[in-house]
Amino acid sequence: MNQLSDRINNLATSATLAMAAKARELRAEGKDIIGLSLGEPDFNTPDFIKDAAIEAINQNYNSYTPVDGYVELKEAIINKFKRDNNLSYTLPQIVVSTGAKQSLANIASVMLNAGDEVILPCPYWVSYSDIVKLSDGIPVEVQTSIDTDFKMTADQLEAAITPKTKMIWYSSPCNPSGSVYSKEELRALADVLQKHPNIYVVSDEIYEHINFKGGHFSMAEFEDMYDRTITVNGVSKAFAMTGWRIGYIGAPDWIARACNKMQGQITSGANCIAQRAVITALEAEPSSIKYMVDEFKERRKLILNLLSEIEGFKTNEPEGAFYVFPNVSSYFGKTIKGKTINNASDFSLFLLEEALVATVTGEAFGNPDCIRISYAASQEEIKEAIKRIKTALS
Ligand code: PMP
Ligand code: GLU
């Protein structure tokens, strides 16, 4: 008999991590899989950050850190928010966590009571809905489409709000669509929220620097939204530090204090060496990572060109992050190589088995017509992957 809790039994496995594990497994069996499933920069962490970590080890940084992060790191985060986002936070408003994923889990557990609704514009990042459910919240999906560049409009937001709405969570640049909300678009959403003063916003800005158009805007920059916006960020993407596991929030101090309390009972805080290294990362000018952003931009151009040659892939032009999110629904109902494709999951599985290319089904992001392809891979891998996809489908 299954003795596990309902909580874990009802939790979905992270689709991104599951696909990455599946690709690893197939590779171990000798299959030549190209992994375009995981959203993880393929660059090495820059040397100046690695050097800071080595120095921290040699300086004997080995004890528990303050639960919410070293003061020097929180100061670096405050300066970063000021420099890059025009946001003013004080020390008690910052909490450093074991990745932005934990920041989000902290927020859910300190903000949600059973039955509270969280509006998630679709497509949303894969873990939002299950993190919300883990805290007994109810994800409320708002469907968007390629025609609005996968962004939620003010009218859609208004229509989704109920007396139970507690929060809205979105990422900009968006994982998986790459869409970036402009200042005007965010203002329109904020105007709706003016009528609903008890709704809080999670603005996940982890792809902030991977923005090809420029013009990143934070919801908390609006004076009337500052007191009810939690700004989430981290170093995984911009600094190629996924495995170092550092994320952070800037939030109203009562929310930050609650996250600190939560973290004090479940992790005691983030890794000390990684925290020291992140001080150096955040003190560096964003120009120090421009070479990676430039390369992602080149790859975006490449993959969009290559995909445009495949019939049935309808794709928006992502403005940030490192994903394309093509609508592949024109393949649904077709049988290719003896395999019937009924939905995006079938399609993604077909690509894995027949093209040996790992992608992620859009269903995991709340959009069942699309698949997500990560272009955080070399140009050679991208060319080979799209060639294989084209051949498998033709
Ligand atoms: N938010 C978004 C939108 C993401 O894509 C990711 C991917 N890792 C995270 C949060 C979590 O990042 P991490 O835990 O690595 O800081
Ligand atoms: N955020 C990345 C992705 O969406 C990494 C995987 C994860 O953290 O789930 O693929």
Side-chain angles (χ1 to χ4, degrees):
M1 199 173 78
N2 183 346
Q3 299 288 334
L4 295 172
S5 67
D6 295 345
R7 185 179 307 112
I8 194 68
N9 282 331
N10 293 335
L11 187 73
T13 300
S14 160
T16 46
L17 300 184
M19 193 49 136
K22 175 114 187 135
R24 241 179 260 131
E25 215 173 89
L26 291 173
R27 259 186 226 119
E29 286 170 14
K31 297 216 166 92
D32 171 28
I33 303 288
I34 301 180
L36 303 184
S37 59
L38 199 59
E40 159 154 85
D42 55 328
F43 295 98
N44 290 323
T45 303
D47 285 343
F48 72 97
I49 302 174
K50 291 195 286 195
D51 290 344
I54 293 165
E55 202 181 311
I57 293 174
N58 288 332
Q59 286 180 356
N60 296 312
Y61 278 97
N62 44 28
S63 309
Y64 287 125
T65 77
V67 170
D68 52 351
Y70 285 119
V71 169
E72 296 92 326
L73 174 54
K74 293 186 14 160
E75 280 166 348
I77 291 168
I78 288 170
N79 292 338
K80 173 254 162 318
F81 273 132
K82 191 86 216 145
R83 178 193 65 196
D84 301 341
N85 312 109
N86 200 26
L87 290 174
S88 297
Y89 289 113
T90 55
L91 285 169
Q93 293 180 275
I94 306 293
V95 180
V96 178
S97 298
T98 303
K101 203 180 246 179
Q102 197 206 346
S103 302
L104 292 162
N106 285 347
I107 294 163
S109 54
V110 309
M111 293 296 289
L112 301 178
N113 282 318
D116 283 346
E117 293 178 355
V118 178
I119 294 177
L120 304 179
C122 297
Y124 51 79
W125 180 49
V126 61
S127 290
Y128 287 176
S129 59
D130 278 279
I131 289 176
V132 165
K133 284 190 222 159
L134 259 186
S135 287
D136 297 325
I138 300 175
V140 174
E141 297 186 349
V142 173
Q143 281 303 333
T144 68
S145 74
I146 208 163
D147 306 321
T148 55
D149 195 21
F150 292 115
K151 289 186 246 186
M152 177 172 66
T153 63
D155 288 346
Q156 284 181 306
L157 171 60
E158 180 99 64
I161 290 173
T162 75
K164 286 195 161 291
T165 306
K166 182 72 184 275
M167 307 189 85
I168 298 164
W169 288 22
Y170 71 90
S171 60
S172 177
C174 173
N175 176 3
S177 69
S179 303
V180 175
Y181 281 89
S182 68
K183 181 177 180 182
E184 294 68 33
E185 286 160 343
L186 291 176
R187 185 63 252 172
L189 299 179
D191 285 344
V192 173
L193 294 176
Q194 284 324 302
K195 290 175 251 166
H196 305 277
N198 297 324
I199 298 178
Y200 290 81
V201 176
V202 165
S203 172
D204 180 345
E205 304 181 11
I206 197 161
Y207 293 96
E208 166 191 9
H209 291 299
I210 306 171
N211 179 332
F212 312 120
K213 197 179 82 161
H216 177 84
F217 194 84
S218 301
M219 184 64 103
E221 282 185 72
F222 294 127
E223 243 172 73
D224 58 336
M225 291 303 298
Y226 178 83
D227 283 335
R228 51 184 173 132
T229 300
I230 304 159
T231 309
V232 176
N233 211 322
V235 292
S236 284
K237 314 295 168 174
F239 295 96
M241 295 180 76
T242 49
W244 297 66
R245 310 304 306 127
I246 299 288
Y248 55 88
I249 58 166
D253 58 0
W254 57 276
I255 296 177
R257 265 201 308 276
C259 290
N260 187 4
K261 182 173 161 191
M262 172 60 60
Q263 198 160 282
Q265 290 289 19
I266 58 175
T267 67
S268 305
N271 173 285
C272 61
I273 306 303
Q275 286 194 48
R276 298 310 302 183
V278 171
I279 298 174
T280 301
L282 294 181
E283 280 174 350
E285 289 296 324
S287 57
S288 67
I289 49 166
K290 189 169 173 292
Y291 66 98
M292 291 189 261
V293 181
D294 289 345
E295 177 60 22
F296 285 131
K297 193 171 179 184
E298 280 302 307
R299 293 170 184 182
R300 175 186 68 156
K301 192 165 135 203
L302 174 70
I303 197 164
L304 286 175
N305 275 339
L306 294 173
L307 284 178
S308 70
E309 291 166 14
I310 307 181
E311 209 183 309
F313 275 63
K314 204 173 145 207
T315 306
N316 68 320
E317 187 170 317
E319 293 173 352
F322 34 62
Y323 310 102
V324 283
F325 197 60
N327 182 315
V328 292
S329 59
S330 67
Y331 286 96
F332 298 172
K334 293 193 176 152
T335 301
I336 313 172
K337 297 195 168 195
K339 288 180 177 146
T340 303
I341 295 169
N342 284 320
N343 49 46
S345 297
D346 291 347
F347 192 82
S348 178
L349 194 64
F350 173 86
L351 295 185
L352 184 65
E353 289 171 349
E354 297 298 331
L356 304 182
V357 176
T359 58
V360 186
T361 171
E363 272 159 42
F365 305 90
N367 185 322
D369 288 335
C370 299
I371 60 165
R372 188 188 79 173
I373 307 176
S374 161
Y375 54 88
S378 70
Q379 300 203 22
E380 287 63 41
E381 283 175 301
I382 293 170
K383 281 184 208 154
E384 175 62 20
I386 306 302
K387 190 168 103 192
R388 288 188 195 176
I389 292 176
K390 199 170 170 182
T391 308
L393 290 171
S394 62

